């Protein structure tokens, strides 16, 4: 979280910013603990996990284990990944129940395909948009992260990433790389009219597209809840398109949209897209 109007990611790499002094704040400052726990609760809510079923979850940027502690209290098992040794040391001292892994999410997530039933992340993904070395490319690091995340999730599960985008362009960059990696979904904004309470949650679906939950507001009723349905099967993409007639307008539009998500250059759609032409003699 930014303090004093300056964004932490502008001050250097996260492993240096989150030193021992900063790590102590996350276990001693009651306000930070409350905010972190509240956001973890909201992220877990947006995962829409099956009721009364313990799940195996991934916590990206787990830090001192505050969000992981919330997952444990809700009956779930979890693995935490973080780039800061100081933050992980505090998590070890707190004797959190999850497994901890030191690593850089921008280099990919080192787990087998289909390992996790879901993923949450609190205030971490925006760090990938900054290059701290000449060799670092934010677009490539974002894509590497999302592609590996898509792989390690069970089909039909979700990832909910709370983040602090610097501007709309940065949010669009992050979302575009997630869609390019195979995800569907979108951004949920809680309390959009509040300067302090406004929160962004990137809700990603690793299976077929489903509804995007509505953001919270000052006047909130009970939102409809839809549970995620997991499957161990990887459905071939060609089966999902079997209902489409090859080279029909719908088939062409779907193919062009898929190429756009992959970052390819595609001609704009017109009324002539997919039009059948008479054979030439």
């Amino acid at each position: 979280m930014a303090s004093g109007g300056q964004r932490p990611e502008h001050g250097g790499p996260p492993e240096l910013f989150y030193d021992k002094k900063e790590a102590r704040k996350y276990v001693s400052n009651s306000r930070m603990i409350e905010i972190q726990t509240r956001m973890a609760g909201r992220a877990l809510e947006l995962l829409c996990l099956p009721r009364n079923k313990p799940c195996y979850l991934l916590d990206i940027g787990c830090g001192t284990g505050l969000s992981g502690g919330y997952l444990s209290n809700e009956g779930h098992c979890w693995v935490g990944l973080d780039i800061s040794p100081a933050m992980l040391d505090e998590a070890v001292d707190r004797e959190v129940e999850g497994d901890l892994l030191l690593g850089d999410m921008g280099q990919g997530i080192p787990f087998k395909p289909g390992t996790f039933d879901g993923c949450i992340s609190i205030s971490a993904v925006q760090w990938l948009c900054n290059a701290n070395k000449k060799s670092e490319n934010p677009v490539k690091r974002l894509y590497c992260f999302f592609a590996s995340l898509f792989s390690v999730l069970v089909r039909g599960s979700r990832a909910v990433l709370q983040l602090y985008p610097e501007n709309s362009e940065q949010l669009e960059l992050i979302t575009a790389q997630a869609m390019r990696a195979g995800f569907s979904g979108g951004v949920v904004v809680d309390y959009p009219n509040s300067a302090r309470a406004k929160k962004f949650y990137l809700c990603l679906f690793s299976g077929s597209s489903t509804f995007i939950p509505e953001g919270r507001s000052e006047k909130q009723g009970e939102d409809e809840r839809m549970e995620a349905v997991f499957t161990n099967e990887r459905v071939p993409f060609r089966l999902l398109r079997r209902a489409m007639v090859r080279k029909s307008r719908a088939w062409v539009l779907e193919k062009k949209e898929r190429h756009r998500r992959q970052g390819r250059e595609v001609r704009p759609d017109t009324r002539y897209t997919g039009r059948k032409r008479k054979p030439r003699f």
Side-chain angles (χ1 to χ4, degrees):
M1 295 173 56
S3 60
Q6 183 179 1
R7 298 181 64 88
E9 57 267 29
H10 291 172
E15 61 269 28
L16 297 183
F17 176 83
Y18 291 105
D19 54 13
K20 291 183 178 180
K21 180 180 179 181
E22 192 70 21
R24 285 300 305 165
K25 294 180 182 179
Y26 278 81
V27 296
S28 60
N29 188 310
S30 59
R31 181 174 177 274
M32 294 180 72
I33 294 174
E34 179 186 358
I35 293 174
Q36 194 84 357
T37 303
R38 190 187 308 142
M39 290 190 296
R42 176 60 169 156
L44 184 60
E45 176 186 337
L46 292 172
L47 279 183
C48 296
L49 297 173
R51 298 180 186 273
N52 302 320
K53 177 184 177 182
C55 294
Y56 192 46
L57 304 177
L58 176 64
D59 183 3
I60 299 292
C62 63
T64 59
L66 293 177
S67 51
Y70 184 89
L71 298 179
S72 296
N73 293 338
E74 293 296 315
H76 301 293
C77 299
W78 58 280
V79 174
L81 174 70
D82 202 281
I83 197 172
S84 168
M87 297 288 271
L88 292 178
D89 287 343
E90 288 291 343
V92 172
D93 292 341
R94 295 178 61 243
E95 298 182 351
V96 297
E97 297 182 16
D99 296 322
L100 303 173
L101 178 65
L102 177 66
D104 179 5
M105 59 181 171
Q107 296 181 358
I109 302 172
F111 289 94
K112 293 182 179 179
T115 299
F116 298 101
D117 299 320
C119 170
I120 69 168
S121 177
I122 307 299
S123 311
V125 178
Q126 70 271 5
W127 284 90
L128 292 177
C129 296
N130 292 271
N132 297 296
K133 303 175 183 177
K134 289 185 178 181
S135 59
E136 291 183 350
N137 184 316
V139 174
K140 291 183 178 180
R141 284 170 58 78
L142 280 166
Y143 178 74
C144 180
F145 164 66
F146 283 117
S148 60
L149 178 60
F150 186 85
S151 173
V152 302
L153 289 177
V154 171
R155 292 298 145 256
S157 60
R158 301 183 180 191
V160 177
L161 316 175
Q162 185 276 328
L163 68 160
Y164 291 102
E166 186 172 1
N167 47 47
S168 59
E169 289 77 13
Q170 189 179 92
L171 182 60
E172 183 177 350
L173 170 65
I174 295 172
T175 305
Q177 295 310 308
M179 302 305 156
R180 181 187 172 198
F183 284 106
S184 58
V187 178
V188 174
V189 184
D190 283 354
Y191 309 108
N193 298 321
S194 173
R196 300 192 60 171
K198 186 176 183 179
K199 295 290 184 294
F200 292 85
Y201 295 86
L202 181 58
C203 296
L204 302 174
F205 313 134
S206 65
S208 57
S209 300
T210 181
F211 83 108
I212 300 177
E214 294 184 0
R216 289 178 176 176
S217 62
E218 287 75 9
K219 299 179 181 179
Q220 181 178 3
E222 289 294 326
D223 291 335
E224 181 182 359
R225 175 187 171 92
M226 183 178 294
E227 296 178 356
V229 180
F230 303 147
T231 175
N232 290 326
E233 299 179 356
R234 290 178 173 265
V235 182
F237 188 74
R238 63 180 181 274
L239 297 182
L240 300 177
R241 305 172 63 210
R242 185 169 288 177
M244 297 183 185
V245 179
R246 182 176 176 81
K247 295 190 177 181
S248 65
R249 179 176 172 82
W251 183 90
V252 172
L253 290 174
E254 191 280 331
K255 184 177 181 180
K256 292 177 70 175
E257 182 60 30
R258 177 157 44 91
H259 285 183
R260 290 190 185 100
R261 292 198 302 267
Q262 294 172 349
R264 301 186 187 181
E265 185 176 348
V266 181
R267 292 183 179 180
D269 299 333
T270 68
R271 62 177 179 172
Y272 301 109
T273 301
R275 184 185 63 172
K276 292 184 178 179
R277 293 173 173 80
K278 295 181 180 180
R280 294 182 179 182
F281 295 98

